[in-house]
Amino acid sequence: SEFRLRSDLALYGMPGEQLLPFEGAAFTTTWTVELPTQANAVGLNRITDVRITFDVQAAYEVPATVLVPLPQPASRAMFVSALALNATGLATLRNAAKPEAKMVFALDRLALPAGATITNLAVVLAGVAGGNVAAKLKFGSGASTSFQISDGLAMSNAGVLSDGNPANVLPLNSAATGSPARPATLTITKGADAARLAQARDALLWIEYSVS
């Protein structure tokens, strides 16, 4: 191919170097562009057309059997904000006079794909530094998972985040299962850190999920 990235990038309207791995592939190959609805629950609504441009150089190719690849699961992640979804619940975290805070994240009202499975979780208390408080997280009508929030952060370490040592498994791993499209209830027992937690600007729930 005589394609040169720096000189021909604007000519072909390419966004960057993402498609360079396909350079040199045979044109007579079966080309498939997949935009799965499950992994793009909202974005596909804005697509009006798809244009593919080929810069080719003719050559002889021996016919070969085309192998159809098996579908691979897609991994996605999102942050949800108590300030945006449950400001009343966030107020219970900011109120130092209340011994307990309770926030509900209505994930079942968000554009999450059907059939998705939670793979990892994290809780972030923005603006909170230091401290160690007890918390519980529950999805839908399932059982609550107890864990600790240290220095404003708690997370799971399942899947790709695991180091393979069972002794290092984190408590939130128990909650990283099932569908993300369920209401999530976060309960925090403040203990001696009520004044520290009152500085929270927001409470964020991070959810990583896979979908086939």
Side-chain angles (χ1 to χ4, degrees):
S1 171
E2 297 180 355
F3 175 82
R4 295 296 179 267
L5 179 63
R6 292 183 178 179
S7 59
D8 296 337
L9 189 67
L11 177 63
Y12 292 103
M14 293 182 64
E17 302 182 15
Q18 298 93 328
L19 299 179
L20 284 182
F22 297 101
E23 184 177 359
F27 180 71
T28 54
T29 301
T30 299
W31 294 83
T32 303
V33 178
E34 294 186 3
L35 302 172
T37 303
Q38 296 88 340
N40 300 276
V42 176
L44 293 181
N45 296 334
R46 296 189 288 268
I47 294 178
T48 58
D49 195 6
V50 177
R51 183 181 68 179
I52 301 177
T53 302
F54 293 95
D55 176 28
V56 300
Q57 185 177 38
Y60 175 74
E61 180 187 20
V62 178
T65 303
V66 176
L67 299 178
V68 179
L70 296 175
Q72 297 296 317
S75 180
R76 295 291 183 271
M78 65 183 298
F79 272 106
V80 287
S81 160
L83 182 61
L85 298 181
N86 188 204
T88 301
L90 180 62
T92 65
L93 180 65
R94 292 171 168 172
N95 189 342
K98 291 185 177 294
E100 186 176 87
K102 184 176 182 179
M103 291 157 281
V104 178
F105 300 87
L107 305 180
D108 53 329
R109 298 182 180 180
L110 303 181
L112 289 166
T117 303
I118 299 173
T119 52
N120 270 302
L121 295 165
V123 174
V124 181
L125 303 181
V128 174
N132 187 33
V133 296
K136 292 182 179 180
L137 182 63
K138 181 177 72 171
F139 284 91
S141 58
S144 296
T145 298
S146 299
F147 61 99
Q148 296 288 318
I149 301 177
S150 300
D151 199 21
L153 174 66
M155 63 183 297
S156 65
N157 62 345
V160 297
L161 299 182
S162 173
D163 62 2
N165 187 348
N168 295 331
V169 171
L170 296 177
L172 263 182
N173 285 18
S174 299
T177 183
S179 171
R182 296 173 293 165
T185 303
L186 174 63
T187 305
I188 299 175
T189 302
K190 300 179 181 180
D193 287 301
R196 188 192 307 275
L197 295 174
Q199 304 301 313
R201 297 190 299 271
D202 199 354
L204 303 170
L205 178 63
W206 176 78
I207 304 171
E208 178 191 64
Y209 60 89
S210 66
V211 58
S212 300

